[in-house]
Amino acid sequence: MAAAQTEHEVPKSMLSIHYLRNNFTSHTGPFSAIAELIDNAYDPDVNAKQIWIDKTQIRDMECLTFRDDGNGLSRDLMHQMLSYGFSNKKALNGKLPIGMYGSGFQNGSMHLGKDVLILSKSKDDLCVGMLSQTYLEKTGSNVMLVPIISFKKQEENNGMRENQASLRDIREHSPFKTEEVLLTEFQAIEGPTGTKIIIWNLRRTSEGHRKLDFNTENDIRIPCDDSDTSDTSDTSVPERNSSLRAYCSILYLKPSMKINIRGQRVENCPIDESLESIDRSFNYQPRAVKRKIPITFGYTTQSIQHYGLMMYYKNRLIKAYHRVGCQLNDKNRRSIGVIGVIECNYLTPTPNKEDFVYDDTNRNTFLSLGNKLNVYSKKRRLNPSDIVPTQETDGERTQDNDQLQEVEQLEGEKASLSEECKQTKAQLTKLTAWRKGMEAQFNKAPEEEP
């Protein structure tokens, strides 16, 4: 297919459907992809108060659904949402937007399934849009086609007929085969405004297993590997890695939107408020920022194995349990269980929002935070009750305290030896001075003879 031409005969850039197929791999797991869709509802341009995440069956197909009570989307906003690289999000009423690349919805939804339908009610309009790999494959399209239907609320009865081409393709290549069924789906958006997202042809592993497990009541989980199921007491993997409910409970540092999973609200658990032996006296001032960034340190009240930095960007968790400073030494038990919490709005997140772009600012941040964590750990080891997390077993606590006592004994012996070395050095200094004095007198003695 020849590239489209402008009026000046300069070729326009094109976007192949292969980009849509391949770019979903930017996410390492389903939860970060789900977070992209949650972020879209959270951002100030949508400003949803609640979002509902659930599973449903449509025409014998298992579907993942998202519904929010936000401002809804106009036709233009829907078109931008289904295109790549369009992001004009701005802060409103002090609330900072998380999205910045204009690809979060596309990459996130395509990671979860091959096809997605969006139904949205704004103040005046009803709008339907579809992003579908199955549709593009079956029609043999070489470019991105995104069927969109838009009409005024009061024209509901005949508004769809003005979008015949898009309506025909949506009916043919989605689970919604009639106008009536599509219009009925709008009734699920209970308020005057809001958006519903339906994802089908959900992703499976190379072995054919579902990437998401819906068998647990009131939760959506990531199935454990066979190697992980041999010991159900294994706590080496944080719960947030396998439970969407646990993941969403710490997704935002200061939650302002209610998240509901399969009919039950997620109990927010701000990580900086769930720690023990909390110390908020630490700050960090990057070179590029005029104000100091507060840091919270404390001991986890959960599994002792899960500790490190919890790093947020504009209120959203980006990097979890990242170890720095003395935590990088597996043999150093002084910092086990210590968690640091910081909001790094001055860093740049990667497009999948799972890490920060590695640059000098990033590197300096980790170095400084490592030093501050070392200081906190040294301060707290003086208080035996703060040495280990509260949920550590008695055996682990005893073993840890015994090791710390051994370390303290060795450090005491080291200090004693150091003091002895100082005294010996002082004596050597005196002896050296005495020797030099005697040599000086000896050298002067011949000159005093008659």
Side-chain angles (χ1 to χ4, degrees):
M1 180 177 178
Q5 303 288 317
T6 68
E7 60 181 357
H8 300 294
E9 300 301 323
V10 177
K12 293 180 181 178
S13 176
M14 298 173 63
L15 185 63
S16 168
I17 61 171
H18 297 291
Y19 184 84
L20 186 65
R21 292 174 185 158
N22 300 331
N23 212 41
F24 78 90
T25 57
S26 62
H27 289 283
T28 59
F31 288 173
S32 68
I34 289 174
E36 293 279 14
L37 276 64
I38 298 176
D39 289 343
N40 281 348
Y42 171 89
D43 274 345
D45 58 334
V46 175
N47 198 32
K49 300 298 184 294
Q50 292 199 68
I51 185 170
W52 293 264
I53 306 171
D54 211 337
K55 184 264 293 186
T56 189
Q57 293 283 131
I58 302 177
R59 296 177 62 87
D60 298 326
M61 285 190 292
E62 198 168 59
C63 304
L64 182 64
T65 64
F66 299 79
R67 177 171 60 89
D68 68 62
D69 60 356
N71 297 327
L73 301 166
S74 65
R75 181 186 179 88
D76 289 343
L77 289 176
M78 177 76 77
H79 195 190
Q80 289 185 16
M81 183 177 177
L82 298 176
S83 304
Y84 275 90
F86 293 91
S87 180
N88 54 4
K89 296 178 180 290
K90 298 178 181 178
L92 293 174
N93 300 321
K95 189 175 182 180
L96 299 173
I98 301 169
M100 59 187 299
Y101 294 107
S103 60
F105 172 79
Q106 303 89 324
N107 295 343
S109 60
M110 291 296 100
H111 182 94
L112 298 168
K114 292 184 65 176
D115 311 290
V116 57
L117 190 79
I118 309 100
L119 302 102
S120 191
K121 293 165 60 176
S122 61
K123 183 178 179 181
D124 300 315
D125 301 329
L126 298 177
C127 197
V128 183
M130 186 173 72
L131 183 64
S132 170
Q133 294 184 53
T134 303
Y135 161 64
L136 296 173
E137 291 168 358
K138 287 186 176 180
T139 57
S141 176
N142 293 322
V143 294
M144 291 278 294
L145 296 177
V146 286
I148 297 176
I149 301 169
S150 177
F151 52 93
K152 298 295 181 183
K153 286 182 177 179
Q154 60 271 25
E155 300 174 356
E156 173 178 307
N157 293 330
N158 59 8
M160 284 195 175
R161 295 181 178 86
E162 298 179 1
N163 303 266
Q164 282 298 317
S166 291
L167 175 59
R168 179 196 65 233
D169 287 355
I170 289 175
R171 288 175 54 186
E172 185 176 348
H173 299 282
S174 81
F176 308 97
K177 302 304 182 183
T178 66
E179 299 175 32
E180 290 74 18
V181 174
L182 273 175
L183 290 173
T184 300
E185 284 298 319
F186 279 106
Q187 297 177 9
I189 306 172
E190 298 175 355
T193 62
T195 298
K196 183 175 182 180
I197 297 170
I198 304 169
I199 302 174
W200 68 98
N201 282 331
L202 300 179
R203 297 284 177 186
R204 293 179 175 268
T205 65
S206 56
E207 292 80 16
H209 304 301
R210 292 184 308 190
K211 284 196 170 185
L212 292 174
D213 178 5
F214 301 105
N215 294 326
T216 303
E217 186 178 3
N218 299 326
D219 201 2
I220 298 173
R221 302 184 66 88
I222 295 177
C224 296
D225 295 335
D226 293 340
S227 58
D228 294 333
T229 59
S230 57
D231 182 8
T232 56
S233 63
D234 181 22
T235 59
S236 61
V237 179
E239 180 71 359
R240 64 173 289 277
N241 286 10
S242 58
S243 165
L244 181 62
R245 182 169 294 278
Y247 177 81
C248 289
S249 71
I250 60 172
L251 182 59
Y252 297 105
L253 185 58
K254 298 176 181 178
S256 62
M257 179 179 68
K258 297 176 182 178
I259 302 175
N260 303 273
I261 298 176
R262 307 195 69 186
Q264 182 174 316
R265 180 180 169 184
V266 173
E267 292 297 328
N268 294 318
C269 184
I271 191 70
D272 60 334
E273 297 178 7
S274 67
L275 306 175
E276 290 200 351
S277 304
I278 292 176
D279 191 336
R280 303 182 189 275
S281 64
F282 291 88
N283 294 285
Y284 173 59
Q285 184 166 359
R287 294 178 181 177
V289 180
K290 295 182 180 179
R291 66 179 183 86
K292 294 182 178 180
I293 310 298
I295 310 165
T296 299
F297 285 114
Y299 280 102
T300 178
T301 57
Q302 304 300 320
S303 172
I304 187 177
Q305 300 182 37
H306 310 146
Y307 58 91
L309 294 180
M310 307 296 286
M311 305 180 71
Y312 288 78
Y313 171 80
K314 295 182 179 180
N315 200 41
R316 155 78 137 80
L317 180 64
I318 300 296
K319 201 171 182 66
Y321 305 115
H322 181 72
R323 297 180 185 180
V324 294
C326 54
Q327 291 180 337
L328 297 174
N329 183 356
D330 294 336
K331 297 181 180 179
N332 190 330
R333 297 183 60 84
R334 185 177 66 199
S335 59
I336 287 179
V338 177
I339 282 183
V341 183
I342 182 172
E343 187 174 20
C344 306
N345 295 347
Y346 60 92
L347 294 179
T348 303
T350 55
N352 63 8
K353 298 187 183 74
E354 296 180 26
D355 203 344
F356 291 102
V357 174
Y358 190 80
D359 53 19
D360 288 343
T361 303
N362 183 310
R363 181 175 58 83
N364 292 334
T365 296
F366 288 141
L367 289 174
S368 180
L369 293 180
N371 292 333
K372 295 179 187 303
L373 182 139
N374 294 345
V375 172
Y376 170 82
S377 299
K378 289 179 181 178
K379 286 171 59 177
R380 285 301 174 186
R381 59 180 295 225
L382 300 177
N383 186 346
S385 65
D386 292 339
I387 289 175
V388 293
T390 57
Q391 291 188 8
E392 188 176 17
T393 65
D394 292 339
E396 290 174 324
R397 185 183 295 275
T398 300
Q399 180 183 5
D400 192 38
N401 287 337
D402 289 345
Q403 290 181 353
L404 284 171
Q405 289 177 4
E406 292 178 6
V407 171
E408 290 176 353
Q409 182 178 353
L410 289 173
E411 289 188 350
E413 294 175 357
K414 180 181 177 181
S416 177
L417 289 172
S418 178
E419 185 62 30
E420 291 180 7
C421 287
K422 288 182 181 179
Q423 294 177 0
T424 302
K425 185 176 180 180
Q427 292 176 356
L428 287 174
T429 301
K430 290 181 180 179
L431 287 173
T432 301
W434 177 82
R435 180 177 60 80
K436 289 182 178 179
M438 293 299 294
E439 288 178 350
Q441 292 181 7
F442 179 80
N443 291 333
K444 290 180 180 180
E447 297 177 1
E448 296 175 356
E449 293 180 1

